[in-house]
Amino acid sequence: MTKSIVTLLLVCAFASAGAANPTLTIEAGQPVANVSPMLYGLMTEEINHSYDGGLYGELVQNRAFLDNPNAPVHWSVVTDKSSAATMTLDPSQPLNDALPVSLRVEVSEASKRHPAGIANDGYWGIPVRPAARYHASFYAKAAPGFSGSVIVSIQADDGGKVYARGEVSGLTQDWKPYEVTLETGKAKPTAKTRYVLTLDQPGKVWFALVSLFPPTWQDQPNGFRPDLLQMLVDLKPKFLRFPGGNYLEGDTVATRFDWKKTIGPLSQRSGHPCPWGYRSTDGMGLLEFLRWCEDMGAEPVLAVYAGYSLGGKHVNPGPDLEPYVQDALDEIEYVTGPVTTKWGAQRAKDGHPEPFPMHYVEIGNEDWFDRSGSYDERFAQFSDAIKAKYSQLKCISTVGTEQPETLRVHSRQPDMLDEHYYRPARTFLNDSAHFDNYNRKGPEIFVGEWAAYETSFPPWNGRSAKELPTADMTAALGDATWMTAMERNSDLVKMQCYAPLFVNVNPGARQWRPDFIGYDTLHCYGSPSYYAFKMFSRNVGDEILKASLDGAALHYSVTKDSQRGAILIKLVNPQAAPQPLELDCKGVTGLKPTGTATTLAAAPDANNTIDHPNNVAPVTTKVSGVKPVFVYTLPADSVTVLQLDVQ
Ligand code: AHR
């Protein structure tokens, strides 16, 4: 926090009532509705290397050699002046049908002092930290005559230093799995590294599914990167919408998120091309998404493939669609069914006997792109089948009221509509009454993707590639305004989530901006929008209080938190000057004289980056002089959550 902000906050705390300030009148005794307990959640899909090279712990890129059919991309040959080797993709020696190619390494010259083999460059390097344990594994088989060892190591990218080392021997002529633990010593954190497998004598060895995991969240196998998961846990999200987004749909029907191919042992997961331009390993499969929900204490909002893919093809409603409907029913059974059901038993076999709690299923994603008009019938077919078996589940239509009437679902009444808003920050500021006049008799609203952008062009414009991966304070002000709009209307807007969630900031990793959380191989940071969201999602309250604002271009939402015994006032001041605001709390007794203010304030163009992660971050201070009527001055360009405690 800069010195000027500290000074400003002190000034704010001591400002007093009197002059004709704008007023926020709060009817503390008049709750108008309950705040939706599910309001704040997260949305995720494979984009910007969110999982592979992101949350999913795997460190080896192209571990199954399927990323490119013509070359073992991300792999190179390791030799020195006294050793020689070649590597070749070998479809004639597959591990199995799911992983139909292996890497043949032929070492013609090598010794213990001069081993030769292969190296992987990882996802922009392999993260090395001191005293860290890594789980290395691979499948291998050798041609007759090889009796040496495979030396496994994490090295500097020029081979000049070995950070961790292990050895595997006893290879046979049949495929067998091998594993070894590697441990670093006093190393300085670095990502200028590579992962190396070498042979200490000449021979021919085939490798398949070469994997390396660092320490993961709670040491779970096939687990998650701890720093990223911690950033999400800190948001206290109530749900996770997955697996997309476009990632659910795929470019074609064949490359959709085909959940049955994403469960079970990794050796049975082929992965598939992701619509964002790279191949997904599917290491992050359905059960991993569910475990991720569990780790955050959040509920899945499961999006099921509904027969439309991004290339524009749809599956005709009726008999053609039936297998996809059955897939969705099976998927719901995998998530929620007891172990006595077929798919519940499969989940137990996969390591999770307990079913997951789930209340919402989304049918497709952005089906307004399907200009054939088939969504209405497709939705009906899915929703009828789901409701027949799971009457308690709410079915979400992906076409909301922001889309033309003709594209919406009419033949059924969806329980909820998913609306997406990627808008200039200015639009959010001008539209904070957006939901105020929505029809309360209509379906509930899920704002399943939203984000403000500060650029003069939208995220999908190619010029976005030149901008920072995360948006600046201008966007955060728009985002916070939008959140006040949703929270004030959360009798109707039951759930909302920013998108996209993650971006790997390394060159070439990104397809979309702005994003919530950025990271490289070793570090991560939150955007100003992340912090605005955190301030809201950790201060939700349970009742929306009646409030009205008079005389200022501010945005607000006021709730009561019965558990904390507090009034929570969220305020956005998008103006370039501080704004004194009279707070008139009617119908309140026992206000404590001291409250707290959590403030996110920064110049509009201020941003966080991987090198400067804390330029813009919230600060919590004491507020004294709290009375039923008092003045609080909001800093320029700020988001504030005031907590007024009641005795
Ligand atoms: O969030 C990025 C993309 O925006 C999502 O995949 C898609 O649903 C939307 O168009």
Side-chain angles (χ1 to χ4, degrees):
M1 181 171 57
T2 62
K3 209 168 168 190
S4 57
I5 295 176
V6 176
T7 318
L8 198 53
L9 291 174
L10 288 174
V11 170
C12 298
F14 290 108
S16 62
N21 289 314
T23 304
L24 180 70
T25 306
I26 298 164
E27 306 289 349
Q30 287 192 40
V32 289
N34 289 334
V35 182
S36 164
M38 292 286 284
L39 185 58
Y40 293 92
L42 302 172
M43 185 270 167
T44 182
E45 66 173 317
E46 181 60 282
I47 183 173
N48 301 325
H49 284 274
S50 290
Y51 316 140
D52 291 342
L55 182 70
Y56 179 53
E58 177 63 76
L59 299 179
V60 175
Q61 185 157 199
N62 193 17
R63 68 182 179 188
F65 311 112
L66 293 169
D67 284 9
N68 183 321
N70 303 315
V73 290
H74 297 287
W75 291 92
S76 57
V77 169
V78 175
T79 55
D80 64 18
K81 59 183 180 349
S82 304
S83 63
T86 59
M87 63 174 185
T88 317
L89 288 179
D90 193 348
S92 77
Q93 300 293 326
L95 178 67
N96 55 35
D97 289 347
L99 304 185
V101 68
S102 61
L103 189 68
R104 186 176 72 241
V105 179
E106 291 181 73
V107 172
S108 52
E109 192 185 350
S111 62
K112 285 215 177 301
R113 286 176 56 117
H114 298 283
I118 49 172
N120 185 267
D121 58 12
Y123 290 98
W124 296 270
I126 304 284
V128 164
R129 295 191 171 84
R133 285 162 73 90
Y134 299 75
H135 179 247
S137 64
F138 55 83
Y139 286 82
K141 66 178 193 173
F146 179 75
S147 59
S149 299
V150 178
I151 301 146
V152 178
S153 62
I154 302 172
Q155 304 183 354
D157 56 6
D158 62 0
K161 189 165 184 169
V162 174
Y163 293 103
R165 186 185 184 283
E167 221 170 293
V168 162
S169 55
L171 267 56
T172 69
Q173 288 161 45
D174 298 315
W175 283 115
K176 286 209 177 115
Y178 298 89
E179 53 185 355
V180 60
T181 300
L182 309 181
E183 198 161 350
T184 56
K186 280 188 181 162
K188 274 203 195 130
T190 177
K192 291 195 165 133
T193 49
R194 62 184 189 178
Y195 180 50
V196 178
L197 296 102
T198 48
L199 311 187
D200 60 359
Q201 61 169 240
K204 200 193 287 184
V205 171
W206 288 263
F207 290 101
L209 193 63
V210 181
S211 169
L212 179 70
F213 271 79
T216 55
W217 175 263
Q218 294 176 347
D219 288 329
Q220 290 168 0
N222 202 40
F224 311 124
R225 188 171 146 172
D227 57 342
L228 294 184
L229 193 48
Q230 187 61 54
M231 286 197 73
L232 304 181
V233 169
D234 290 348
L235 296 174
K236 301 195 173 185
K238 290 293 186 295
F239 67 89
L240 179 70
R241 173 179 175 238
F242 69 84
N246 291 357
Y247 184 58
L248 170 73
E249 302 164 84
D251 282 333
T252 60
V253 178
T255 55
R256 70 193 184 279
F257 182 82
D258 193 353
W259 74 271
K260 285 177 182 162
K261 296 182 179 160
T262 73
I263 57 171
L266 296 183
S267 59
Q268 294 303 321
R269 301 190 202 179
S270 314
H272 72 285
C274 138
W276 295 105
Y278 52 95
R279 191 179 175 88
S280 163
T281 61
D282 285 343
M284 190 78 193
L286 178 58
L287 186 58
E288 284 73 26
F289 281 108
L290 295 167
R291 277 183 17 221
W292 173 9
C293 291
E294 191 168 66
D295 288 342
M296 298 190 299
E299 203 176 276
V301 172
L302 180 70
V304 297
Y305 178 74
Y308 178 76
S309 291
L310 296 161
K313 290 249 159 47
H314 74 270
V315 180
N316 282 327
D320 289 355
L321 196 60
E322 236 1 84
Y324 301 91
V325 173
Q326 190 56 51
D327 260 358
L329 293 174
D330 293 346
E331 190 172 11
I332 295 167
E333 188 172 284
Y334 187 90
V335 177
T336 64
V339 294
T340 46
T341 61
K342 176 179 172 195
W343 290 103
Q346 180 64 47
R347 186 194 61 241
K349 192 170 163 218
D350 294 342
H352 203 289
E354 277 303 302
F356 294 87
M358 183 169 83
H359 294 93
Y360 296 91
V361 173
E362 178 154 16
I363 297 172
N365 176 61
E366 294 191 340
D367 285 83
W368 70 78
F369 280 109
D370 175 10
R371 300 295 157 144
S372 75
S374 75
Y375 186 56
D376 194 340
E377 275 184 77
R378 287 189 288 110
F379 178 89
Q381 199 172 334
F382 273 88
S383 150
D384 289 355
I386 292 170
K387 297 260 180 198
K389 196 164 175 203
Y390 302 99
S391 56
Q392 77 285 6
L393 285 180
K394 292 196 171 186
C395 289
I396 305 172
S397 157
T398 70
V399 186
T401 57
E402 88 289 20
Q403 297 302 330
E405 181 73 43
T406 50
L407 298 173
R408 298 183 208 158
V409 170
H410 294 286
S411 66
R412 301 289 182 281
Q413 164 88 307
D415 297 306
M416 201 175 240
L417 305 179
D418 179 1
E419 303 193 341
H420 293 180
Y421 295 91
Y422 295 103
R423 299 283 190 269
R426 176 67 38 205
T427 303
F428 279 162
L429 294 178
N430 292 335
D431 196 23
S432 70
H434 186 89
F435 300 104
D436 292 358
N437 299 316
Y438 263 50
N439 177 4
R440 262 48 192 179
K441 292 204 184 93
E444 294 174 339
I445 302 296
F446 172 30
V447 185
E449 293 180 29
W450 62 267
Y453 52 92
E454 74 284 52
T455 49
S456 57
F457 41 85
W460 45 92
N461 184 304
R463 288 159 72 191
S464 284
K466 295 210 172 79
E467 302 292 321
L468 286 174
T470 49
D472 65 16
M473 186 65 191
T474 299
L477 292 167
D479 289 333
T481 301
W482 194 237
M483 284 191 284
T484 62
M486 293 186 280
E487 189 179 271
R488 267 201 332 273
N489 286 283
S490 85
D491 59 314
L492 178 76
V493 181
K494 295 291 180 187
M495 302 189 290
Q496 59 98 334
C497 41
Y498 185 102
L501 181 60
F502 283 135
V503 61
N504 185 319
V505 303
N506 278 300
R510 170 188 11 144
Q511 294 84 46
W512 185 285
R513 82 165 312 264
D515 304 290
F516 223 29
I517 295 172
Y519 46 87
D520 63 12
T521 310
L522 285 169
H523 316 96
C524 62
Y525 74 98
S527 62
S529 304
Y530 167 87
Y531 285 117
F533 187 95
K534 185 174 174 184
M535 288 163 63
F536 277 60
S537 68
R538 294 178 67 103
N539 293 289
V540 187
D542 52 340
E543 288 179 335
I544 305 166
L545 293 183
K546 190 172 173 198
S548 56
L549 179 70
D550 198 11
L554 303 173
H555 304 280
Y556 69 92
S557 167
V558 186
T559 62
K560 180 175 152 189
D561 187 324
S562 309
Q563 253 190 348
R564 274 191 238 178
I567 296 172
L568 300 169
I569 309 169
K570 298 172 183 106
L571 290 155
V572 183
N573 178 17
Q575 306 162 122
Q579 177 65 65
L581 177 69
E582 183 168 292
L583 293 154
D584 184 356
C585 302
K586 296 198 187 302
V588 66
T589 47
L591 258 191
K592 289 190 187 163
T594 308
T596 57
T598 303
T599 308
L600 188 72
D605 63 352
N607 206 338
N608 292 334
T609 62
I610 198 78
D611 296 323
H612 301 283
N614 298 315
N615 275 341
V616 185
V619 174
T620 299
T621 51
K622 245 199 215 173
V623 179
S624 46
V626 175
K627 294 184 282 194
V629 182
F630 74 109
V631 172
Y632 186 82
T633 299
L634 301 163
D637 302 305
S638 66
V639 181
T640 303
V641 179
L642 284 177
Q643 175 172 331
L644 309 185
D645 297 315
V646 183
Q647 266 147 10

